[in-house]
Amino acid sequence: MWQALVWKEWREQRWRMGFGVALLATYTIIGLRTRVMPDEQLIAMTILIGGGIFPLMAAMALIAPERAEGTIVRLLTLPVPTWHVLAAKA
């Protein structure tokens, strides 16, 4: 059951992860080529955005679509502990 839950989340969320990686890579490449700010500052901003802001934005989009579609109720009634479902979503 655990593998099925993780696979379901991977299929639903993979485009968000790919889009985030593409945005961060583009930001970093353009910033390093244009030399608008020092390299250390640019890398620090990339780490801040990639490690702080993107995970928060991704986390906000985990439960809301399930609630809107009505599938969260079915997920929580599976014969596994509730924390397994929520851990797979995280």
Side-chain angles (χ1 to χ4, degrees):
M1 184 63 71
W2 178 256
Q3 289 176 340
L5 286 171
V6 171
W7 183 251
K8 172 194 168 296
E9 290 305 318
W10 167 250
R11 289 184 44 120
E12 289 179 359
Q13 304 298 329
R14 65 182 170 196
W15 73 269
R16 284 187 179 97
M17 286 188 275
F19 184 65
V21 168
L23 280 178
L24 281 177
T26 304
Y27 169 77
T28 305
I29 290 169
I30 290 172
L32 289 173
R33 292 210 37 158
T34 58
R35 303 279 185 197
V36 174
M37 62 179 77
D39 291 349
E40 294 84 15
Q41 188 178 3
L42 180 78
I43 299 299
M45 286 295 294
T46 302
I47 291 171
L48 176 71
I49 293 169
I53 296 173
F54 275 170
L56 289 175
M57 294 179 72
M60 289 188 301
L62 290 178
I63 301 293
E66 297 282 346
R67 271 196 181 156
E69 296 170 4
T71 56
I72 191 73
V73 175
R74 280 186 262 143
L75 279 176
L76 294 177
T77 58
L78 289 173
V80 295
T82 304
W83 73 269
H84 280 239
V85 175
L86 297 176
K89 292 195 79 49

